[in-house]
Every structure is written in structure tokens, then in C-alpha cells.
Amino acid sequence: MINLSEVYKMRDKLRKWREENYRNSEQIVDVGEELINEHASKLGDDVWIIYEQVMIAALDCSRDDLAWSCLQELKRQFPDSHRVKRLAGMRLEALERYEDANKLYDSILQDDPTNTAARKRKISILQAQGKSSEAIRELNEYLEQFVGDQEAWHELSELYINEHDYAKAAFCLEELMMTNPHNHLYCEQYAEVKYTQGGLENLELARKYFAQALKLNNRNMRALFGLYMSASHIAASPKVSAKVKKDNVKYAAWATSQISRAYQMAGRGKKENKCSVKAVEEMLESMQITMS
Amino acid sequence: MGEVELSCLAYAKMYLHASQFPRCSVNGLLLSSSPAGGAVCITDCVPLLHTHLSLAPITQLALTQVDAWCSQTHQRIMGYYQANACVSDSSPTPCALKIAEKIFEQCNNAVLLMIDGEKMFPGCRVPPIVMYERKDARWALKDKHTIMLRQWEETCSIVNQLFSSGDQALLVDFDSHLDDITKDWTNQKLNAKIMELVSPANGNV
């Protein structure tokens, strides 16, 4: 027999995962299924949002049985809800019944043209069908109306990156950096895109934004390595002035020392990552030689 | 080009990598510890990324580090694998072709391996892989009959055992290593577990 505090612990776990938007669907199904099957009565009004959360996780794990029963409970409690209708649509998507899902979403939009959730599901269907250019077009249209939707801007940047349209991806990330100046991940992704575009100007921008990401979070290893690589490439370029070369050699050297330090701390006491530590040391050594 | 052999270790880790990130495209490098010029055998693999496969910096970084590790361990990079997020499309992406080209520059019997997501279900009788080789300046489909997967049923059962024991969670790819550098992208621990499962009756796999 499980006691009340255990039930609340499980409920709180689900809430944490919900609030932080984790997609650990197998865990959610594990915890959530037990909660709703055995302890639904102890959850109060939380039970409905938990049904929703478990249903979506169940779809992610191909547990249509569980998704179906959650959906039934929600339909019974909220018979005319658009939010529940969208969940029904997601189930159809999981079954690859895209036409039926689209019909459902279209009916929501007829009732309520500002329903962003339904519009985003329609775009997701295009992505699932591999229709990236249409998805991009629809997402652009969506963003013209809902220009503050961060999630959508990020999704669009990902779509552009997949299509190798780096200039447009950079534009999306610029929007995100403007509205989220303290987010080190956006800075670092922007820097990666600039680095990929290549050319001296882009490399310098990349280096600056890797540095910015590090300022915001000094443990971002991608930013640290990125700083090292962009500075090294700039220093090795025949087109730069002696001063620029000297500065970048300095930046690269600083990055090297930070990287070595980080790996030494990581390697302490752990025999198993000796190989990765050694590989980094070799790499740093070999790149030093090509730079001088 | 002739036969290419794919070891249980390499296959298992690729499969585990694709399974660990079902919603992402994943990629990695194929390694060989057999001498160049002899029979072509993919003896191991290094799982690389599950995000932003087409962005340069991390890919370059990973290639350099794996290269360094290979020279320390007498292996060489001889191929590239990728599993697309979109299960119904297992054709090589421009990014896959680009990286495979780079590898081909250093290794003239390089292979490009695409994982076919549609065949990754329990009980599938066919290996979920499609292999390409360099022929006449392009990447051409390799004849299925020249791809050797010794003891295929054994390999499948080993993969199943890894899932049931929960050991599939041990797999670390380069992306995960960058998120936490105490994690080992050479996967020594997982390699040992797989080799344990391989060795009893089978000798070399």
C-alpha cells in the first residue's frame, strides 16, 4: 500500500517535468500510469493536467492504449474543449492518419482562427511528412502574425539549419538573441551558424558570439571549443594583419588553457574517460603546431 | 569494390545510438582496426551527434578528436553512418555526402552507411542498413550480398540483451560528452559489456 506522501512525490515529479518541458516520455508514462490508475482520487484537480501530460507521453512511447484511455477521461470531463480536440488530433498524428488530424485542426481553426496550438500541429504534420519547404513557408506566415512566439522562431531556425539555409537560420537566432539576451545557448548556436557560413568576417563574428556565450555561461564546452577553433582559424589565415593574428593567437591560447583545465578536472579519479582526455590533449597539441 | 564486414560491436552501437534519440537525426564514424589493403572490416564505431548535424564546428571538432584517438589506438576512420529523423526517408543527406567525401579523401575504400529506420523493429529479419561505396566519382548503392554481418542472429540477440539489461543507456555520443565531459565518448564501459556478450561461443566477431 502506498502512502499519501509517496503519491504527492510522484505528482510533484510530474509537475517538475511539465514545467521544465522535459520530454522524458518513458519516465512520465511509468510514473503517470501508476498515478492515474491507482491514485486518481487523491490528485484533486491536478488529475486533468496529468491526464494530458501522460497522454502525450504515451503517444511518444507508442502506448495507444494508455493514450486512448486518457483521452476518454478528458473528453468526458471537457466535452467541447478545443484543447482536448487538439489532443485527439495528436493521437491521429501518432497513428499517421494525417488527413483526419488536419480535418480536426481545421475545424478548431474555423471556430477560433487564433488558436495557435492547432496551427502549430498542422505545421508539425508537414514536417512529419518530410515537406520541409511547405513547413517553412507556413511557419513564416505564422510568425508574421505571432511575432513574439519564441518556440516558433527556434523551430524555424532548426528547419533552416536542416535545409542548409544558414543566412535565414542566423536571422531567426538574431531574433531570439534580441529577446533573450541572457540565453547562452542562442549565442552559441548563432556562433556555430556563422562559423559554418565561413569566411573571415563570419569567423570573427563566430568568435565574438562564442565568447559572449562563455560570458553568460563559462561551462559551455561547445562555446569554449568554438572560441578555440574560430580564433585558431583566424590566426592561421594569410589575410589578417599581424595585430589581428597576435590577438587571436592569444584568444586561442586562453581557450586551450581553459579546455585543458576542464578536462583535467573531469579526468580526476575517472579511469574510464582517460581516452577522451588524451584525445583532446593530442588535438590541442597538433593544432598549436599548425598555427605557429 | 569487394566485401565489407560489419562487426557486432559496430552494429550494436549504431543501433543503440539511433534508438537512444528516436526523434533526431544521428550520425557517427565507422572505424577499422584491420590493416589497410587487407579485407575491409568495420570493427568499431564512434557515435557523434544528435543535434545540428549540418553545422560545422562540432563536426570538425569531433573528426579531429576521433582522428587523434584513432592514431593512439591503431584504428582508422573508414566510414560514416547516419540515421535520419524522418523514418521513411533513409537517403543520404547533403551533409552525409559531404562528410563521406572528406573520409574518402583519406581512405579510398570508405563506406557510407544509412540506417533504415523503417526496419528497426523487433523481429525484423533483415539488417536495417543501406550501404554506399564510391564508384565512378559518386556514391553508389553497394550490393547487399557484399555486406557481411557474421552471426546476424547472435548480433540481434545481443542487442536485445542490452535493451533488457538497461545497458543501452550506457551509450555516450560526442554531443552528450560535450554536455558533460566526464562522459566517455569512446564508450569503453559499453564496449566491454558488448564484448562480454559476444565472446563465449563465438571467438572473433
Side-chain angles (χ1 to χ4, degrees), chain A residues 92-110:
Chain A
L92 292 172
E93 286 184 60
L95 297 170
E96 295 186 86
R97 289 168 52 185
Y98 297 124
E99 256 188 66
D100 292 335
N102 265 322
K103 282 207 195 107
L104 212 55
Y105 298 138
D106 285 333
S107 74
I108 297 177
L109 287 168
Q110 242 181 2

Side-chain angles (χ1 to χ4, degrees), chain A residues 229-244:
Chain A
M229 287 164 68
S230 34
S232 307
H233 280 298
I234 296 171
S237 162
K239 301 189 208 152
V240 300
S241 67
K243 174 164 192 326
V244 169

Side-chain angles (χ1 to χ4, degrees), chain A residues 45-107:
Chain A
D45 275 336
D46 273 348
V47 74
W48 307 114
I49 202 162
I50 290 176
Y51 272 125
E52 182 184 43
Q53 183 182 12
V54 174
M55 185 201 160
I56 294 177
L59 290 178
D60 224 6
C61 299
S62 298
R63 285 284 312 273
D64 191 49
D65 57 321
L66 181 57
W68 180 248
S69 56
C70 291
L71 187 58
Q72 295 320 297
E73 294 294 325
L74 288 165
K75 272 191 181 157
R76 217 181 349 208
Q77 182 72 7
F78 306 102
D80 296 310
S81 155
H82 279 163
R83 187 162 163 175
V84 176
K85 224 173 176 180
R86 167 198 161 229
L87 290 174
M90 284 178 81
R91 179 177 165 271
L92 292 172
E93 286 184 60
L95 297 170
E96 295 186 86
R97 289 168 52 185
Y98 297 124
E99 256 188 66
D100 292 335
N102 265 322
K103 282 207 195 107
L104 212 55
Y105 298 138
D106 285 333
S107 74

Side-chain angles (χ1 to χ4, degrees), chain B residues 9-82:
Chain B
L9 182 66
Y11 175 83
K13 289 203 299 195
M14 278 195 294
Y15 193 96
L16 257 45
H17 192 207
S19 313
Q20 206 176 67
F21 302 103
R23 306 132 195 161
C24 310
S25 294
V26 300
N27 67 8
L29 297 171
L30 302 172
L31 310 180
S32 177
S33 56
S34 46
V40 180
C41 182
I42 300 168
T43 48
D44 198 358
C45 74
V46 175
L48 290 185
L49 308 177
H50 56 267
T51 56
H52 300 151
L53 272 58
S54 60
L55 289 183
I58 306 301
T59 304
Q60 278 181 17
L61 178 68
L63 280 166
T64 318
Q65 284 208 24
V66 175
D67 222 9
W69 182 63
C70 279
S71 22
Q72 292 164 22
T73 54
H74 309 292
Q75 297 181 88
R76 56 203 172 87
I77 300 176
M78 63 147 296
Y80 170 85
Y81 75 82
Q82 184 169 306

